[in-house]
Amino acid sequence: MRVFLLLLILLLVLDATIFATPIYMAIWQGILVPGHLLSDFYYSMLLSLYTSTTSSILILLITIPIGYYISRRITRRNLLLPVIMLPSSISPAAVGLLLLLFFTKTPLGLIIDNTLKIVNDPKGIIAAQLFLGIPVGVSYFTALFSSIPRSYEDAALTMGFTNIEYLYTILLPMSTRQVFTGFILVFTRVLGDFGASYIIGGGIWGKTVTLPIYLYLVSQLGGIGVLVITLSIYIVSILVLIAVVYQLESMEGHPQNA
Amino acid sequence: MLEVNGLNKSFNGRQVNKDIGFKLEKGGIAVIIGPNASGKTTLLKSISGLIEPDSGVIIIDGETIYEKKPYMKKPRVNKPPYERNIGYVPSEPSLFPNLTLKGNIELPLKKRGWSRNDIERRVNELLEIFGLREYRDMYPGQLSNGLRQKASIARALSYNPSLLLLDEPLSPIDPVTRERLRNELFNLFNKLKVAVLLTTHLIEDILFFKERIIALVDGRIVYDGELSEHKILSSPYMLQALGFLVIPARIKKCNEGEALVAIDKVEKKIGYNTYASSCIDGRNSLIVVNPGYITLTPGKGDHYTLEASLLEEIDNLTSVKLVIDIWGRITTLTIPKNEWSKLNDFGGGKRILLYMSREHTYLIDQESG
């Protein structure tokens, strides 16, 4: 067992070394950031937050009822789940290309793009994020709702609630913490997307450059000072987010779980 | 009040309810007894509308809530559970953990659009009747099993259903509380004049609710009517038909939950449930065991052990069915495959050690009456 502990320590050291690199580089190099790149950074951060929050909320609205339905009605899931998981199993760049093909080369896609303006627009990024995040949401909520004893639902139905009323007025309030965890799971997934967002959004400065795209573009420009600082901010904020989520998860919920 | 006729239900080709038919009068209490997997829960769920039977008729208060003849493609009537106005308490936890007792009990009333005053009055009335007033603002997780069960029943009765279905209401409760709760519930049901259908696999429940026993074996009703203590005593076959393991023995010495018994002249120490047994030194008695609580590994609860011989091992896909001989009585035991292979590594051989639940072993005196 001691060998396993060594492995764990090795993993932690590796993590710390890699993730801390930009932070001490930033300190060592001093903070020398050209003004225009910094304002672009703020824009990218806001754009990332805006698109990820919007798409995460949409994903939850879509995947919660789907997850509930699958958990209740579909017993043979081994054919359905691969199809649902497909977008998150293939490369995000391929997802972006698929969307680009659809919106620029098919009649239906062209009509949608002409009316809604998807390609080269933040809306395109949201569309890409939806595709990538929905599988995560569906699999998470299917598993969540499958794990909640059926007896709650049986009682609610005989008490006079329909399935839909049960889902929204009893089941979700009963599992707020788990729903929040699902939100964070989806949120971190879509926030981190680079490939799909870059291809459908085009990476236009001041319009469709999200945080991961910003990091890539800055590294291409050779702005190492900006890169280490923005990387540091990015890593620290994600770390804080994850830590908060784990803290919430381990906290005691309702006394029933005590 | 409740009328069930020709009810059939099968799952994956296995018939769990076969031609079930019975009537229950207003205010009547009937107990459905049967071994594990005899179709008790399926029957309750069919009546409450949580599962759809294959065919049959269910009538409540003169209103047909389900009707399908075997030749019909679709049921003529099939009301969803939320329109049947039935109180149902499942065997697993059903109080919503994020709501207080009050919050739980008022939920169905809010759904029905009762006025604030009416809800308040009804909730207080129920908490009073069930003796739960001091727990009003507590969460289910803070309460004992017995209190939780009472609260679940109070909630199921809040909207005045004419029929109350209880699935194994007393099984999760410890034996001491169980006896008190059983009396309490019985008096309440009589006072509230609600028709109650409850399932059980406990002998204490059969002895207590003996006025109306519906025995279900392999999904079929094998007995419906009053079941006097005498009838049970004089007929070990009845208990056997209900899936219990019945072994005649002579009691040598009784000692609060432990008895020295002689079976075919071999002496053996066993444990028994003191709440529903009559253990008298020197009498001929029946040892009645619920085989659902025989295990190969010590689980939770109080146990005594005994050796048995293994006659046959039937391999199913995920489980193993063991045919075992306990003092000349043959019974079967189904256990998960992984558990069996783990055990097999150790002992093997023809003799196996069984852990018997003390709570589910009864002694019934055969010489009285």
Side-chain angles (χ1 to χ4, degrees), chain B residues 31 119 132 158:
Chain B
V31 169
I119 292 178
L132 293 166
S158 62

Side-chain angles (χ1 to χ4, degrees), chain B residues 161-179:
Chain B
S162 46
L163 176 65
L164 179 64
L165 305 174
L166 305 174
D167 197 1
E168 304 263 0
L170 298 161
S171 305
I173 293 156
D174 67 278
V176 187
T177 321
R178 190 188 285 160
E179 195 167 325

